[in-house]
Amino acid sequence: MTPNAQPALSEATFALALVLLLLAPLAIAGLALINTGLGRSRSAAQSLLGGLAIVAVAAIVFALIGATLTGTSNGASHIFHLSGKPWNWLGKGPFLLNGFATAPAQSQLEIMFEFLAVALAAIIPWGTGADRLRLTAGCAIAAILAAIVFPLLARWVWAGGWLSQLGLNFSLGSGFLDPAGAATIHVLGGLSALAVTWTAGPRRGKFPQGGFATAMPGHHAIYILFGCLLALSGWLAFNAAGAILWMHAPLSTIPVTAINTLLSASGAVAATFAVTRFRFGKPDASLCANGWLTGLVASSASAALVTPMQALVVGVVAGIMTPLLVEFLELAVSIDDPSGAISVHAAGGLWGLIAAGVFAPQPGQLVAQIVGIATLLGLILPLVYLLFLLLNRIIPFRVDPDGERIGMDLHELGGGAYPEFVIHRDDSYR
């Protein structure tokens, strides 16, 4: 069934989608734990508190502004005509969620999905800014994404916008397909992470003059690995709910979507395990965690569209590319990304979108996916970077050097996450 069809939801489908959306926040919790574990111990409390604050700000701003601009697939919209074709670019949703309780069941679930999606997207760049990004800056970034960028992209992809209509208007498959947010959540979050590191710069001591990149390993492998398990539950819910809401998939296809999600993550972590063992002699825990996440991210675009064996292939490719890309970005491009968000979310999401086009049976589907990817890289990335540059002039992203030296916990919160620990000397500051 094409994503433009709008069948009424049965009571069973509504109930299942609602339960799935109530489980989806586990993905946010898992990612918050991973971000915290991959940062330094002296910034752990600020990292996790930042996750809570960012989710809160994203939800509030989306309720005030973003939900109105996104609208729903059955709602009114702003349309202009070009070359005889309608281009749906912005929604006309109810102001301040007015009438939400009496809206159609499909619309209620769509808006609920969007609330969770924008919260997950906003927390992704927070991990990249670890150990140097101010808490107020992280919240301001979340506000910008929730008010402007996410509503535009979500409208174009999910709520009947021009990308989703590429199939109807130009016979490009079923239009741009992104059932669970590979583009609207993960590529947006990963590109925002890239803009954050361009704006804030690397951590002090990460790239000493005339030397190689300094290793700054995450402080808590247990947080990282447990966060991966939490994230799996959330991703299963996101992928299944997205298939129901945006692809209008029948309930009989949901078990396959869940299996594909697990296979994609499993293939990815197995591939990353093999690559890191081959390159370093032993598997790397944090890179394997990133590989697992990349497989989940890629599944966001493909799990509802591919067969189980194709899902495994998607995961294996994601797992192979993750450690190589992390190393390339750090050593060759001097990008400091503690959480690996650029490799995991941006690159993993782009690969998932391509895979959805490669394995889709409809002619022209790959072209539709490429049009969507070009929009992300050619329009969304410059927009995000410009907005962040302007925002940085108002709310400086980076903490002052003394705050970075003593740690974000003491500097911004007045106390550490582990008060019984002695703050030790960091060799990178010699």
Side-chain angles (χ1 to χ4, degrees), residues 85-183:
K85 303 291 185 180
W87 296 77
N88 186 330
W89 68 283
L90 199 61
K92 290 182 180 178
F95 183 64
L96 298 179
L97 298 179
N98 184 38
F100 174 76
T102 58
Q106 174 82 21
S107 298
Q108 289 187 14
L109 292 176
E110 286 180 6
I111 293 174
M112 185 176 177
F113 189 102
E114 290 161 0
F115 265 94
L116 298 173
V118 72
L120 182 55
I123 206 174
I124 292 171
W126 178 243
T128 293
D131 304 316
R132 64 206 188 277
L133 191 64
R134 296 175 186 268
L135 182 55
T136 51
C139 292
I141 288 169
I144 289 292
L145 293 178
I148 301 173
V149 188
F150 176 85
L152 284 174
L153 193 55
R155 181 68 192 183
W156 298 346
V157 174
W158 286 334
W162 66 272
L163 281 175
S164 68
Q165 294 176 336
L166 290 174
L168 291 176
N169 292 335
F170 299 99
S171 299
L172 297 179
S174 297
F176 183 70
L177 295 179
D178 182 23

Side-chain angles (χ1 to χ4, degrees), residues 5 11 53 60 64 93 138 145 164-165 230 244 276 316 339 360:
E11 291 186 2
I60 292 169
L64 295 175
L145 293 178
S164 68
Q165 294 176 336
L230 271 183
I244 293 171
T276 55
V316 169
S339 68

